[in-house]
Amino acid sequence: MRSKIVAGNWKMNKTLTETEALLAELSAKLPDTDAMVMIAPTHVNLPGAVRNLVHSAIEVIAQNMHFAESGAFTGEISADMLLDIGVETVIIGHSERRAYFGETDGLLAKKVSAAVAKGMKAMFCFGEELEDRKSGNHFAVVESQLKNALFSLDAAAWDNIVLAYEPVWAIGTGETASPEQAQEMHAFIRKTIAEAYDTSVADDVSILYGGSVKPGNAAEIFSKPDVDGGLIGGASLVADDFVAIIKAI
Ligand code: PEP
């Protein structure tokens, strides 16, 4: 079901002590909202964050997982491990996973399927590089990322998919897609899904925008009809900024 979502990706930031302090500040300042608010701390801090937020409306989500049930995959974590500590949503395919850890659409397809098969929500990230946009190839790149990683799912599985369109050139750069560029791409994404499935799948999926969303630009981006919220990196590490972005939705 399509919902408004503001999710903070904390990446490899914050010790457990710092995580607890930021969560306490966020919980104290959390505005009344009908949007879903999520934070993704680093794996080692997930159990602590879940414990801290047990009576809170903030959902704790993971930044990554492996596709296998279990086994000899040193350094990895499984869907069951996340579910067992109360984490039910996982970010998959963040551009940093693709760029620094060699994650391909094929691998991401396996991760998404594994998450969904366990009843988890997969927040699938995708988006074009700067060269793709400059060469006018951005729609084709986004279409192929969706097709390669998601279009073998059956329609029912889309209840467990959240999309995060994150143009790589806008992540952590201070450069943001204009609200019009975001809307144009989100509408294209919905049209592509409608063609592959049907309009009800396309209309029901939440599509977040990510890439240098800040308190100053959030409201305008979120006002676009096909933008259902944001995946926030840097600004989610500062309670007042994250709270301002939640208020903007
Ligand atoms: C992200 O990493 O998903 C992200 C959107 O980062 P930032 O908001 O810092 O650009």
Side-chain angles (χ1 to χ4, degrees):
M1 201 58 215
R2 191 155 158 191
S3 334
K4 299 267 180 212
I5 300 173
V6 180
N9 175 11
W10 289 2
K11 311 190 183 187
M12 197 176 74
N13 292 296
K14 305 283 175 195
T15 62
L16 179 57
T17 310
E18 291 165 345
T19 295
E20 287 174 339
L22 181 51
L23 290 179
E25 193 182 350
L26 268 180
S27 299
K29 295 178 173 172
L30 196 68
D32 255 354
T33 174
D34 50 15
M36 295 169 76
V37 178
M38 305 175 175
I39 56 112
T42 188
H43 281 143
V44 73
N45 293 334
L46 287 171
V50 169
R51 271 196 300 276
N52 268 261
L53 294 176
V54 76
H55 297 300
S56 162
I58 303 174
E59 181 184 347
V60 179
I61 71 174
Q63 296 178 15
N64 182 32
M65 61 168 247
H66 198 273
F67 60 81
E69 286 259 331
S70 61
F73 299 102
T74 302
E76 293 290 332
I77 61 160
S78 70
D80 282 338
M81 292 170 188
L82 292 172
L83 288 167
D84 190 50
I85 59 165
V87 173
E88 296 178 345
T89 302
V90 57
I91 297 172
I92 289 177
H94 191 277
S95 65
E96 288 149 19
R97 299 293 318 168
R98 295 173 188 258
Y100 306 141
F101 303 97
E103 297 198 356
T104 60
D105 287 344
L107 175 75
L108 299 173
K110 288 191 195 177
K111 290 190 180 206
V112 170
S113 296
V116 167
K118 290 285 179 181
M120 295 187 75
K121 270 204 178 353
M123 184 182 288
F124 179 72
C125 303
F126 59 105
E128 79 282 0
E129 310 262 351
L130 186 58
E131 306 79 73
D132 303 319
R133 185 156 280 265
K134 281 188 172 157
S135 63
N137 218 19
H138 44 299
F139 293 115
V141 167
V142 160
E143 185 172 1
S144 85
Q145 289 172 328
L146 288 171
K147 191 169 157 211
N148 294 340
L150 301 182
F151 286 0
S152 54
L153 294 170
D154 60 28
W158 279 77
D159 287 346
N160 285 30
I161 300 293
V162 172
L163 298 178
Y165 166 63
E166 300 204 300
V168 178
W169 48 271
I171 296 179
T173 57
E175 186 93 29
T176 319
S178 68
E180 292 69 32
Q181 285 173 319
Q183 169 57 28
E184 182 186 37
M185 184 57 90
H186 284 220
F188 171 78
I189 292 163
R190 246 183 252 289
K191 179 172 90 50
T192 304
I193 297 168
E195 284 164 6
Y197 292 88
D198 56 43
T199 48
S200 79
V201 172
D203 288 344
D204 278 356
V205 69
S206 301
I207 310 179
L208 315 186
Y209 168 80
S212 298
V213 176
K214 307 279 179 230
N217 59 21
E220 214 189 334
I221 294 171
F222 294 162
S223 72
K224 295 295 175 192
D226 286 300
V227 177
D228 301 308
L231 179 56
I232 320 297
S236 70
L237 293 165
V238 178
D240 287 335
D241 287 355
F242 195 50
V243 164
I245 291 169
I246 296 166
K247 284 183 180 157
I249 208 165

